[in-house]
Amino acid sequence: LAPATTAIDLWSLGCVLAEMALLRPLMAGDDTGDQLAEIVDLMGVPSNEEMEAMGIEDVGLAAAIGVVATGKGTGASCPTVKITKLVGTDYNGLGELVSQLLRYDPHERLTAQDFMTDKFFFHVKR
């Protein structure tokens, strides 16, 4: 696995923000396999480049994602659109913010600094 960075904390923050808006778990898996299925259902199948960026070197985990992906298809809808629809319009801009935090590639996620200056917070501060 890749070395731990704050990017995983920002993924977690994205989940928590969505769960606060939804008042329920965003991706409630019963076990590891079910959790992977929930993530792939929401986010689509990660590309090989995304799996490499996540540092997935474990052959078993990569195979499990492949099995889940086979059962789920290719995730035809864009994750940003899915997340935005799921969060709804009650919190203007929250869906877009969460979708920027929930990226497979940790290098593509918002940084903590970018998170704090996101336009969503300008709507909230009013």
Side-chain angles (χ1 to χ4, degrees), residues 9-29 35 38-39 42 83 86-88 91 94-95 97-99 101-102 120:
D9 300 320
L10 291 162
W11 171 280
S12 299
L13 179 60
C15 292
V16 170
L17 287 171
E19 290 167 357
M20 288 174 65
L22 296 169
L23 300 177
R24 65 174 177 79
L26 178 62
M27 299 175 272
Q35 187 67 46
E38 291 285 330
I39 293 168
L42 178 65
I83 292 167
L86 187 64
V87 171
Y91 306 98
L94 182 62
L97 177 60
V98 168
S99 70
L101 294 167
L102 299 182
F120 172 74

Side-chain angles (χ1 to χ4, degrees), residues 36-54:
L36 286 173
E38 291 285 330
I39 293 168
V40 169
D41 189 44
L42 178 65
M43 303 292 300
V45 179
S47 67
N48 289 336
E49 293 81 15
E50 289 169 325
M51 290 210 307
E52 186 177 319
M54 288 186 282

Side-chain angles (χ1 to χ4, degrees), residues 27-41 56 58 60-69 72:
M27 299 175 272
D30 295 327
D31 55 37
T32 303
D34 193 39
Q35 187 67 46
L36 286 173
E38 291 285 330
I39 293 168
V40 169
D41 189 44
I56 298 178
D58 182 307
L61 180 58
I65 291 173
V67 168
V68 168
K72 294 287 182 183

Side-chain angles (χ1 to χ4, degrees), residues 111-125:
T111 64
Q113 182 66 37
D114 290 339
F115 171 79
M116 294 303 296
T117 59
D118 188 83
K119 65 182 178 182
F120 172 74
F121 293 108
F122 294 108
H123 298 292
V124 174
K125 289 179 185 177

